[in-house]
Amino acid sequence: MALSVDSALYRCQRLAAEGSAWTQSESTPLLSSVRKRLRYNLNKWRIVFPNNKRLQKDWEKVSRFYSGNGIQTTKYTLLSFLPRNLFEQFHRLANLYFFFLVILNWFPQVEVFHREITMLPLGVVLLVIMVKDGTEDCRRYRFDKAINSSKTKAYDEKESDYVEKCWKDVRVGDFVQLQCNEIIPADILLLYSSDQNGICHLETANLDGETNLKQRQVVKGFSNQNTPFDPEFFQNTIVCEKPNNDLNKFKGYVEQPDHKRIGFGSESLLLRGCTIRNTEIAIGIVIYAGHETKAMLNNSGPRYKRSKIERRMNIDIFFCVGLLFIMCLIGALGHGIWNGNFSERPPYEVPDMNGNYLSSALAGFYMFLTMIILLQILIPISLYVSIEFVKLGQVFLIHSDIDLYDEDVDLPIQCRALNITEDLGQIQYIFSDKTGTLTENKMVFRRCTVDGNEFSHQENAKRLETHKELDSDDEDWARYQHFALPVIKIEKPDTLKQKNTKPMRRCQSARARFQGHARKKSLGRCDSLQSQVAFSSTIEKDVTPDNRLLMKVRNAALQIESSASFPSAKDTYSSTSVMDFFLALAICNTVVVSTATEPRQRVTVPPLMKPSGISLERIHQLLQRLKLANLGQSFSLTQSSSDLGASVNAKNSKENPAATDSYNKDDISTHTCSNSADGDYDGDGRADAVPRKDSIEIGGASLDEVFGSVSQGHLQPEFCYEAESPDEAALVHAARAYSFTLMSRTPEQVTVRLPQGTLLAFDILCTLGFDSVRKRMSVVVRHPFTNEIIVYTKGADSVIMDLLEDPAKADINMGRKLIRIHSKTQKHLDWYAQSGLRTLCIAKKVLSDDDFQKWANFRREAEAAIDNRDELLMDTAQHLETKLTLLGATGIEDRLQDGVPDTIAALREAGIQIWVLTGDKQETAVNIAYSCKLLDQKDTVFTINTENKETCESLLDLTLEDVRKNSNVERTKRKFFGISLSSSLPASVAPSPDIGLVVDGKTLNIIFQGKLEEKFLELTKYCRSILCCRATPLQKSMVVKLVRRQLKVMTLSIGDGANDVSMIQAADVGIGISGQEGMQAVMASDFAISRFKHLKKLLLVHGHWCYSRLAKMVIYFFYKNVSYVSLLFWYQFFCGFSGTTMIDYWQMIFFNLFFTSIPPILFGILDKDISAETLLSLPELYKSGQNSETYKLSTFIIAVLDAFYQSLICFFVPYLTYKDSDTDVFTFGTPINTISLFTILLHQALEMKTWTHFHWITMIGSVLLYFVFSTIYNAVCVVCNEPTSPYWIMEDQLSDPSFYLVCFITPVVALLPRYLVLAVRGTFRVSPILKAQQLDKLPKEQRDREIQRWRSRKQGIPTTSVVSPSDEVDRTNSNLHVSQFLGQAAVTPHGNNDTQGLSTPEMNHLRDWMLNGEGNSSTRRCAGEETTAANFLARPCPGQDLLEPTRIPSPGLFASQLTSDNAEELTPGSHRRSVSSVTL
């Protein structure tokens, strides 16, 4: 029994010790066998007994150890709220400090104020935080109550039926019945689905934000859906892993009474919080409940981080503590010295009851403690509360910014971390993902290569150039249909009924909510708006076919029809490659097919058609003849697993069906893993659904007639393809453009319509999903005609190309053909990558029945395993995916997001260094970097690819040496992005070109494992851009941590996928993009945006404002408290250091609590030192935050010194005014208090750059509040502070003209130095911030001209025009020379392009001519016939180092080789104007 709590093992052992208490029922032999064998690892597994009559007693004994389904996200209860909240608040040292002072003030020897009064400031602070925490917890309580009270149907063994229960009453082991549109209450193992194929569809928007549907499948062996599911007949025990937070990982098995195990995985788990879609009824057993569900384990809420200002502030508070200690020490010494001057005991000293006086030492110690109480407000306790309010206000303003709102997806910016807003203004390094972050993650099919022939799809490229994202209607779709193959005319049948199926669609809201949800049964077709299907925008769906490839498809279809002569082997290979290529695109995926009218209604039966093409039997015969003529298409597998072995035997015993019959089969899950016989199959039920083969009329028209005639009124259903990734959707849409249409998909069958209108229904034997380790996916199908078992595989070219069959093992002719196809395809892949396209290779493999049967057995054993299940499944998958036959490759464009180049250029101008960490191909990442201006055309790019530590270290040393030696720089000490660096670091890099660095994942491994981090970081300091390609999620986080810890810089990570979570969490600020890869990155982030371009305003504007506001506010608080406390300190020199005050204690408390608290808070929320337009136009202003210019040690010291000066003026001007008068203590203190208030508020006014009505109201209101309170308090307080009394003091002062004069002159004298500094600071040295503030005061047109002049002076030279990426891709030749910058190691293009005069169509034709090998080879690979010079764009041979020390003997030879052989090799399809390679 696997228990989910920490004491699971202990409890289970205690349970086992109570052997007599376990009364075994006669119907539970499994429990007895389990206890005898003791073969379950209690620390690793969970055992679930079903809650039915047969196993009721066992369920009761085990289920009590598991968590209930009720959730509690609140922190407190009514009884624990007060003590726990106080306990948490006293974790703050400042609160403990003031609590210590409160206790200290209760001792009579050191009492300064009334005991109750001393508690007031601390009490107010604690109360405010307590109210805030209580309000938040109350809101969580109401949310929990709504969730726990939600209803669902659970099986009740007493009533033998499903009854309504609250979610909180559901327990592990209960059977739960779910209906369409119902939210899942717990993590449930799916045992039954009303879907005829045992499929349940989920929408996981509540969990990960993805709106596309996910498929979940009934546990194998329980998929016979012809009979209703009866929980009483379920006698199995479920063994699975313990609760964890991995949403994509789940493993276990069902053990039957006969000890037979049936494995299951995450494909059978329904997660809590997801919504049932397109499924009338689903039944499952609860595996995890409540806080043990995966959704709750992932719900950590907003994270708390300490900002850089907060860390700096803590240091300054310690400084204030030291200052307080010095003041108190002076007071104690002064008290001793003062008393020592008396020859006799002063009359105010009172002896104790024994007549003894305090010793001087003890009296000094008491005075020390008294001074701590008196000067306590030197430590700004109100600062913490004020910062909380300011940050809440800043978050509200950021959230309300309309420029950060994405109207397309209806998402504003989300601020998940509320306490690091100011860190947005201090970022020095940005680490960004590429796919989905810099790009749109909208995959558009651009090019493909089939059988070694490249097809450019120029018509599709022209469409994409002029395409705009608009809602397409039927006319828009029809505009592109004339490019596709004509489809057979379809006659709509009179009736088409499907048993047990009802049209269903999702409810209108794409994001179901927890609150108040009720059980909703599907009511058929709703009148709601059509839901948008993921990855289905017009730009992704519409693909214009290439005419040449379209002709090849037509010829392949005609060749099948032709029976006059036996086709040649060459034609056979070509035709089958084309057909297999598009079949693989349509089949090798997990796409769910739905219709346009019912976008959430999954298509399981293709529309009935009346084809007018050739007969299916005819095609069957021709395919058999093609099979015999095709050589090298059959492969053997020496050893091979999924529980599909039984289905193979079952299918072999049947006759090969015709295509129209193959899709007529109902689900065949009874053959997969259960022992059900074929006789249970209801054949009559199928007859009503789809007519049999003999009921379909097949015309005798030839393919020439089929392709030549297009029916005007043909009926072609509009399909919607719901894919889990945009790549899959793009490939399926591309296959459909060539009339290989995916018609329907079930777990057992996939149906494809061929160009001639024929329907082919492939039996799916196994699907090996994509994972980041294999980097590929495969589907094993049985061909309906040839009865062959075929493995279709698609994946990354870096993996697939290494899994191809060795051409040397084939015959000579076939081997040559394979070598040619492999080399040409690799050349095309390199060109695709250089053009910034994402590449995928398509391959196939034919298996014999025996080989597949062996493999299926191994797969079945691996799926049923618990220990090392993932490793076993990986081994079986890798064993199958070998000796593949290459069919072709595709190039898919991931388009850049709008505004990415401008954003990156602005961030770089702001002094931020940008790194791109991606798992994509190196060539693709480099070209995207050029497109988004991460790399410039004039940059020198170093690429380091190696797997050897010595080579890597030598490359780093050589590159560092050359950069330091040849870059013309000043060796002066400077700050690099806010970090003080030694003189060895270059101060400027002009006129040498900027430097970029590209490394791959293998090189990063060597750097981390070989202790080369310091050299790597030293090299990156010289680089303006760094690209880390083929990086794993772990490597991404390691890079971020390395830079943050070693360089001591502020870092920001931004990504959109689950693979970016570790990188986001490792940075100081993590930003998630709510894109098409789900919400995992958003849930782990501090801020969430929908577009990369929003980062520009978020950092340059809001980041600058938040830092500037908060930094000035913190400095102001320290100044305010030091200035006010110093007044009390100066008074001690005139009162014998007795610890008394000249200001009433209520005035002192209210001074910080009310009179001067609101203006700085409003300043911290609303102040704008520079307008947003100027900050966006001048990104370099952001550097002030990077360098912490506003808040650093020097500004803090200046503020403290200024506070001391102002306090001296505010104290001694009234002192000199009232000197030698009969003024009492409070009459002397009231003008000082009033003057101090005016001075502090006017000081705040000088710092304010933005004045609104709120500012005027708070400033004037603070003064009025002070006078109103003082007047009323002095009028009613007669004996408030004996022996002195503040009675009528303010009234008397207001009638004295000297009071007004003092209150006017003193603040002017106190603020005069600061005012003079502010007035003349722009005379000698104008800072960029001050100049920008002056520009803001100019009229708009004049300001724009001044900003343009500023930018022109900054650049020094006119900005050169940037060649567009499309033009650079078309360049095919360039004059190269060896740059003196790096000697033999650098290659920089120079001069004009030879093809500059060609027009765009001529360029495209020339590029396609080169790609298809009709001219001289422009890119030679070391795996091919000839050897090329070493460069980083050429692909190295397997097992060969990219850089070899003997490749380039001398600079002269290197230059000659480049000029003669490789001049063309470096430039076609590349954005580069400069390419560098480092050699040893």
Side-chain angles (χ1 to χ4, degrees), residues 636-889:
S636 62
L637 186 65
T638 58
Q639 189 181 17
S640 333
S641 155
S642 198
D643 51 294
L644 300 167
S647 66
V648 177
N649 296 332
K651 292 179 179 65
N652 288 341
S653 64
K654 299 181 181 179
E655 245 183 32
N656 293 337
T660 51
D661 260 350
S662 59
Y663 74 81
N664 290 341
K665 299 177 185 176
D666 244 355
D667 72 282
I668 48 178
S669 58
T670 53
H671 304 294
T672 57
C673 197
S674 67
N675 298 326
S676 302
D678 292 343
D680 296 337
Y681 181 77
D682 185 9
D684 297 335
R686 282 195 316 237
D688 295 334
V690 181
R692 297 184 181 277
K693 177 179 66 178
D694 53 6
S695 67
I696 298 179
E697 299 178 6
I698 301 176
S702 66
L703 279 181
D704 287 329
E705 297 172 354
V706 173
F707 282 96
S709 62
V710 181
S711 173
Q712 297 293 331
H714 74 276
L715 178 64
Q716 180 176 355
E718 178 70 23
F719 290 111
C720 295
Y721 296 130
E722 300 202 46
E724 294 189 11
S725 69
D727 301 78
E728 287 190 343
L731 295 181
V732 173
H733 287 302
R736 189 182 184 190
Y738 288 92
S739 298
F740 288 82
T741 306
L742 177 62
M743 303 292 290
S744 68
R745 177 184 297 278
T746 69
E748 310 299 337
Q749 278 191 345
V750 56
T751 305
V752 180
R753 184 178 61 204
L754 299 182
Q756 57 268 34
T758 306
L759 291 179
L760 290 184
F762 294 84
D763 295 330
I764 300 178
L765 305 182
C766 186
T767 300
L768 304 179
F770 178 88
D771 61 69
S772 58
V773 178
R774 290 168 43 245
K775 297 182 180 179
R776 58 188 179 274
M777 80 160 292
S778 298
V779 58
V780 185
V781 298
R782 183 180 292 278
H783 200 288
F785 289 148
T786 64
N787 206 35
E788 290 179 325
I789 297 178
I790 304 176
V791 181
Y792 288 111
T793 302
K794 69 176 180 182
D797 59 324
S798 59
V799 175
I800 299 295
M801 298 300 286
D802 295 335
L803 299 176
L804 300 179
E805 185 191 21
D806 188 2
K809 296 182 179 180
D811 58 68
I812 298 178
N813 294 332
M814 182 58 66
R816 290 178 178 175
K817 181 180 295 185
L818 291 177
I819 291 176
R820 179 183 61 83
I821 292 175
H822 294 177
S823 61
K824 293 182 69 175
T825 302
Q826 184 60 61
K827 179 180 70 174
H828 300 155
L829 287 169
D830 292 340
W831 278 76
Y832 291 171
Q834 293 170 17
S835 300
L837 302 181
R838 294 167 62 91
T839 56
L840 283 176
C841 281
I842 313 297
K844 66 173 285 189
K845 176 181 182 177
V846 180
L847 289 176
S848 65
D849 289 346
D850 292 339
D851 291 334
F852 178 75
Q853 185 69 292
K854 294 178 183 178
W855 181 85
N857 292 334
F858 291 130
R859 183 74 178 180
R860 183 173 59 251
E861 294 177 3
E863 289 177 339
I866 286 285
D867 293 329
N868 302 322
R869 182 176 188 267
D870 296 335
E871 292 78 3
L872 293 174
L873 291 176
M874 182 69 66
D875 292 341
T876 57
Q878 292 177 346
H879 192 77
L880 181 68
E881 297 162 332
T882 56
K883 299 181 180 179
L884 302 175
T885 301
L886 184 64
L887 298 176

Side-chain angles (χ1 to χ4, degrees), residues 995-1270:
I995 298 172
L997 178 64
V998 180
V999 297
D1000 62 355
K1002 296 179 181 178
T1003 306
L1004 287 177
N1005 272 339
I1006 298 299
I1007 291 173
F1008 286 117
Q1009 296 174 4
K1011 307 298 181 183
L1012 303 176
E1013 295 95 335
E1014 292 185 3
K1015 292 184 179 180
F1016 174 68
L1017 287 179
E1018 184 67 20
L1019 178 59
T1020 60
K1021 294 176 184 178
Y1022 293 89
C1023 303
R1024 73 193 299 256
S1025 302
I1026 292 91
L1027 273 72
C1028 299
C1029 312
R1030 296 293 192 190
T1032 64
L1034 179 60
Q1035 288 176 334
K1036 291 182 179 181
S1037 63
M1038 291 175 66
V1039 169
V1040 176
K1041 292 177 182 177
L1042 174 67
V1043 173
R1044 180 168 60 87
R1045 294 173 180 173
Q1046 296 294 329
L1047 299 183
K1048 309 296 182 184
V1049 293
M1050 293 292 294
T1051 58
L1052 180 147
S1053 293
I1054 179 170
D1056 71 319
N1059 60 331
D1060 304 318
V1061 169
S1062 57
M1063 173 180 72
I1064 289 173
Q1065 293 178 337
D1068 294 293
V1069 179
I1071 294 185
I1073 291 186
S1074 52
Q1076 302 197 53
E1077 291 191 23
M1079 300 290 287
Q1080 293 94 331
V1082 170
M1083 291 187 291
S1085 65
D1086 303 310
F1087 300 88
I1089 57 180
S1090 57
R1091 294 282 178 178
F1092 184 83
K1093 65 180 181 181
H1094 294 163
L1095 194 63
K1096 180 179 179 181
K1097 186 172 186 181
L1098 180 63
L1099 295 186
L1100 302 187
V1101 178
H1102 289 290
H1104 173 85
W1105 283 345
C1106 289
Y1107 167 75
S1108 176
R1109 294 163 176 167
L1110 201 63
K1112 292 179 180 178
M1113 191 195 79
V1114 171
I1115 288 289
Y1116 176 77
F1117 260 93
F1118 282 117
Y1119 147 80
K1120 176 170 69 93
N1121 285 34
V1122 172
S1123 176
Y1124 194 69
V1125 166
S1126 298
L1127 298 174
L1128 306 178
F1129 180 70
W1130 305 135
Y1131 180 69
Q1132 300 306 308
F1133 288 90
F1134 301 92
C1135 69
F1137 295 96
S1138 59
T1140 58
T1141 64
M1142 72 290 193
I1143 302 174
D1144 183 77
Y1145 52 80
W1146 281 108
Q1147 294 277 11
M1148 294 176 57
I1149 291 173
F1150 278 45
F1151 189 89
N1152 275 320
L1153 209 56
F1154 298 112
F1155 302 152
T1156 60
S1157 60
I1158 304 300
I1161 292 177
L1162 200 67
F1163 170 81
I1165 297 175
L1166 298 178
D1167 190 66
K1168 298 178 182 179
D1169 57 343
I1170 304 173
S1171 66
E1173 295 77 10
T1174 304
L1175 288 172
L1176 291 174
S1177 301
L1178 299 172
E1180 65 184 67
L1181 299 176
Y1182 185 81
K1183 295 179 181 179
S1184 63
Q1186 290 177 330
N1187 300 329
S1188 300
E1189 294 179 1
T1190 305
Y1191 182 28
K1192 51 187 177 181
L1193 181 61
S1194 60
T1195 56
F1196 173 76
I1197 293 176
I1198 291 174
V1200 171
L1201 294 177
D1202 191 22
F1204 276 119
Y1205 163 76
Q1206 292 184 19
S1207 66
L1208 285 171
I1209 298 299
C1210 292
F1211 179 83
F1212 283 100
V1213 169
Y1215 172 78
L1216 296 176
T1217 302
Y1218 294 102
K1219 186 179 181 181
D1220 299 330
S1221 66
D1222 58 353
T1223 303
D1224 60 12
V1225 175
F1226 284 167
T1227 304
F1228 171 66
T1230 299
I1232 293 179
N1233 198 39
T1234 306
I1235 292 169
S1236 179
L1237 175 71
F1238 286 156
T1239 304
I1240 289 174
L1241 290 180
L1242 289 175
H1243 181 107
Q1244 176 79 84
L1246 290 176
E1247 295 295 327
M1248 287 184 179
K1249 300 299 184 293
T1250 302
W1251 284 87
T1252 64
H1253 296 294
F1254 297 106
H1255 291 83
W1256 286 107
I1257 291 173
T1258 54
M1259 295 292 285
I1260 297 175
S1262 296
V1263 175
L1264 292 178
L1265 178 64
Y1266 168 74
F1267 281 105
V1268 170
F1269 171 79
S1270 299

Side-chain angles (χ1 to χ4, degrees), residues 1256-1327:
W1256 286 107
I1257 291 173
T1258 54
M1259 295 292 285
I1260 297 175
S1262 296
V1263 175
L1264 292 178
L1265 178 64
Y1266 168 74
F1267 281 105
V1268 170
F1269 171 79
S1270 299
T1271 303
I1272 296 175
Y1273 172 70
N1274 292 163
V1276 300
C1277 187
V1278 180
V1279 287
C1280 294
N1281 193 9
E1282 296 180 355
T1284 58
S1285 174
Y1287 179 72
W1288 215 251
I1289 295 295
M1290 181 57 71
E1291 286 78 359
D1292 290 338
Q1293 292 289 339
L1294 292 176
S1295 61
D1296 185 5
S1298 61
F1299 172 79
Y1300 295 98
L1301 183 62
V1302 170
C1303 290
F1304 174 77
I1305 295 177
T1306 307
V1308 172
V1309 176
L1311 294 174
L1312 187 60
R1314 172 167 288 272
Y1315 180 79
L1316 291 177
V1317 170
L1318 293 176
V1320 303
R1321 65 177 179 174
T1323 303
F1324 304 101
R1325 181 178 178 272
V1326 182
S1327 66

Side-chain angles (χ1 to χ4, degrees), residues 962-976:
D962 286 340
V963 169
R964 289 169 176 168
K965 180 175 62 177
N966 296 291
S967 57
N968 300 323
V969 298
E970 289 184 23
R971 308 278 181 181
T972 57
K973 184 172 182 178
R974 69 182 189 101
K975 284 198 172 182
F976 187 85

Side-chain angles (χ1 to χ4, degrees), residues 258-269:
D258 58 357
H259 309 315
K260 181 180 178 181
R261 294 182 177 182
I262 301 174
F264 54 76
S266 58
E267 72 279 355
S268 300
L269 186 65

